[in-house]
Amino acid sequence: MSGGRRKEEPPQPHLANGAPKSSAWSKALRSDAAWEDKDEFLDVIYWFRQIIAVVLGVIWGVVPLKGFVGIAVFCLINAGILYLYFSSFQQIDEEDYGGTWELTKEGFMTSFALFMVILFNLQPVVDSDYFDKLEFFILRFGKDLPGHLDQSHLLDG
C-alpha cells in the first residue's frame, strides 16, 4: 500500500444559495450581478474611477485640454460614467449605499489627484518641442544605432 493521500482541493467559497462565489471584477462586468457585500461594490466603483482618471489624464495631456474647462470636463465625465454604471448598468438601489451622492463621490478625490499627477507630468512633454528634437535625433544619428532603418530620404525634405 502506498502511504500517499490524495491532495484535497481547498473548498471554494459559496453563496447562501449554493452557487459558487464569483470575483468582484467578473460581477462588475455583468449587469445581473448580486452584490451581497456592499464594500465589494464600493471597491469596484473606486477602482473604475481610478482607471477613468488614468485614461482621461493621458488623453487630456496629449490633446491638451487645460485650465478650468479641462478640469470641469474631467469631473463631468468621471461622475457621469460612474453614475450611468451604477444606476443603469448595475441597477442597484442607491439608498442601500447611502444615496446617489455617496456613490458619486466614492473615490473621486483620489481619482482627481491621480488625474492631475498624470496631466502635470505628461503636459510638459507634449507642450515642449521634445518630440521634434527626438525625431531630429533619430533621423540624424539613427544610422549609428544598431538595427537602424535607412531613412535618409526623410532628411532631403
Side-chain angles (χ1 to χ4, degrees):
M1 296 203 139
S2 68
R5 291 184 168 192
R6 275 184 43 189
K7 193 175 188 179
E8 292 184 25
E9 293 182 19
Q12 297 293 325
H14 284 64
L15 299 176
N17 64 3
K21 186 176 180 181
S22 57
S23 75
W25 289 110
S26 64
K27 288 197 297 189
L29 300 174
R30 285 193 344 252
S31 64
D32 62 343
W35 297 92
E36 289 81 22
D37 185 9
K38 292 181 181 183
D39 287 336
E40 188 177 45
F41 183 68
L42 293 176
D43 288 345
V44 168
I45 294 288
Y46 176 87
W47 286 109
F48 269 159
R49 198 175 291 279
Q50 306 318 307
I51 292 168
I52 291 169
V54 169
V55 170
L56 292 181
V58 170
I59 292 171
W60 267 229
V62 171
V63 169
L65 285 171
K66 298 180 183 177
F68 177 75
V69 172
I71 292 173
V73 172
F74 164 78
C75 293
L76 290 173
I77 290 174
N78 193 324
I81 288 173
L82 266 298
Y83 178 77
L84 289 174
Y85 173 74
F86 67 74
S87 67
S88 297
F89 184 72
Q90 287 293 334
Q91 298 177 353
I92 57 137
D93 182 14
E94 291 97 353
E95 294 306 318
D96 291 343
Y97 296 90
T100 303
W101 180 245
E102 289 300 318
L103 285 170
T104 304
K105 70 178 188 173
E106 176 68 29
F108 181 80
M109 289 309 292
T110 310
S111 73
F112 180 72
L114 180 60
F115 166 77
M116 295 302 277
V117 166
I118 291 171
L119 181 64
F120 287 154
N121 284 308
L122 192 58
Q123 226 169 21
V125 174
V126 173
D127 286 346
S128 71
D129 57 351
Y130 172 79
F131 292 111
D132 294 334
K133 291 177 184 176
L134 181 64
E135 180 183 19
F136 173 77
F137 177 80
I138 290 171
L139 292 176
R140 178 76 175 113
F141 302 106
K143 64 180 182 264
D144 299 332
L145 298 173
H148 81 283
L149 298 174
D150 181 21
Q151 297 178 346
S152 59
H153 65 282
L154 296 176
L155 291 174
D156 296 334

